[in-house]
Amino acid sequence: MPDKTLDAKTIDLLRELPELIPVMRDSFEEWTIRTFNREQHECRNYLSPNRRDFYKILLVTGGAGIFTMGLHTYYIDEPTILFIHPNDIISWKNLSAEREDDLSAGYYSLFKKSFIQNHPQLKATIDKFGLFTEKDKSVIRLAGADVPVLTRFFARMQEEELLGDAFNQEAMEAYLQLLMVESARIAHFPKPDNVSEDYGHIHRFFDLLEKETAHINIETPIRIRTAKEFAESLNIHPNHLNALLKRHTGQNVSTHIRNRLLEETKVLLIQTNWALQDIGYSVGFAEQPNFNLFFKKNTGLTPAEFRRSYRNA
């Protein structure tokens, strides 16, 4: 039987969110860089509140929507390119009509931290231009003449990905660098639109949820885990926080907390050989039966069954 200890690839895929759905469909195949057409994969609303292991360059050439990065909101109804760091809390609300000719157009490219580590020149370019790290540079409005130039780089990356020869990784690295150089050359940085107080509360909730769950282990178990505790930490009434999240995400506070704890629990069950009691304690359950009940209610399997099902796969 092959060793089913979770590697970095699978941990990443467990934690990556809606913009990675097409990659998830690839049955967890190994990847370090992918490029997609937005017409096929991005014509829907999404919220990505957790850390990811990949950088994202998003080129919007058609349609309209509201893009939020952290506490900055941008109304996008003209060509725009966005540079998204793995730690950014982002959301997209599609404002285009649902007719086929109005759907969002453009490309997006995802590339992992491991891809950067293996290509030091790419890292140097990222550091030099600061498009991912300096938030006032992460969103660039484009003139009409800029679109074909940038589109060509994305299209060539797709071609290289399909080609898959011995030099395609180096070629894609070069196109990513050219994307950043050309974006910096033509850069027009718009000022963010005003962020509503409601979204400020939502952002602070997801930021706190991420901080609470990012480093869960036996030595540092989760500190707060109920809707009331999160609301108190944010100085907001639980009912108000619940209503905001329900309105803007379709899920209440408890559901977001539960889903996040389930993600971390699955990672710990697969990645580690910790005793089930230690994992339960790490995610906030002092009693093993309560942990078993929580996990089975939400997955259909006990923690032990989930671990066995993965290792026997």
Side-chain angles (χ1 to χ4, degrees), residues 63-88:
I66 299 173
F67 178 80
T68 304
M69 179 186 296
L71 290 176
H72 292 168
T73 293
Y74 300 87
Y75 294 88
I76 297 177
D77 59 358
E78 57 186 310
T80 305
I81 189 166
L82 307 100
F83 295 84
I84 303 167
H85 189 276
N87 294 337
D88 288 330

Side-chain angles (χ1 to χ4, degrees), residues 154-293:
F154 283 97
R156 292 302 302 271
M157 283 194 288
Q158 279 193 316
E159 292 172 6
E160 290 293 340
E161 185 178 327
L162 292 173
L163 187 61
D165 67 12
F167 298 99
N168 72 320
Q169 297 267 310
E170 285 68 23
M172 286 189 282
E173 175 196 16
Y175 289 126
L176 283 175
Q177 290 179 277
L178 287 170
L179 264 174
M180 285 183 275
V181 170
E182 191 64 26
S183 296
R185 174 184 292 161
I186 62 180
H188 169 62
F189 304 115
K191 291 185 178 180
D193 298 294
N194 291 329
V195 177
S196 68
E197 183 181 17
D198 285 0
Y199 186 78
H201 290 313
I202 293 171
H203 176 272
R204 290 194 299 125
F205 166 74
F206 282 118
D207 188 52
L208 179 60
L209 179 60
E210 179 60 25
K211 288 177 180 176
E212 287 297 319
T213 57
H215 304 290
I216 287 177
N217 58 49
I218 301 171
E219 288 75 27
T220 56
I222 190 168
R223 184 176 58 92
I224 59 176
R225 61 180 302 274
T226 68
K228 181 179 179 181
E229 289 171 331
F230 273 91
E232 288 176 349
S233 296
L234 297 170
N235 296 315
I236 183 173
H237 194 280
N239 291 344
H240 184 43
L241 179 61
N242 209 49
L244 289 177
L245 285 166
K246 185 70 174 178
R247 185 186 322 138
H248 290 279
T249 72
Q251 297 177 327
N252 60 25
V253 180
S254 297
T255 300
H256 283 291
I257 297 170
R258 180 199 67 199
N259 291 343
R260 193 70 180 91
L261 289 177
L262 281 171
E263 289 176 8
E264 292 302 319
T265 299
K266 291 175 182 178
V267 170
L268 292 174
L269 285 168
I270 301 171
Q271 179 186 10
T272 75
N273 290 318
W274 296 355
L276 298 181
Q277 184 174 353
D278 291 335
I279 294 176
Y281 174 75
S282 298
V283 297
F285 292 91
E287 301 295 332
Q288 180 68 24
N290 293 336
F291 172 55
N292 288 344
L293 181 63

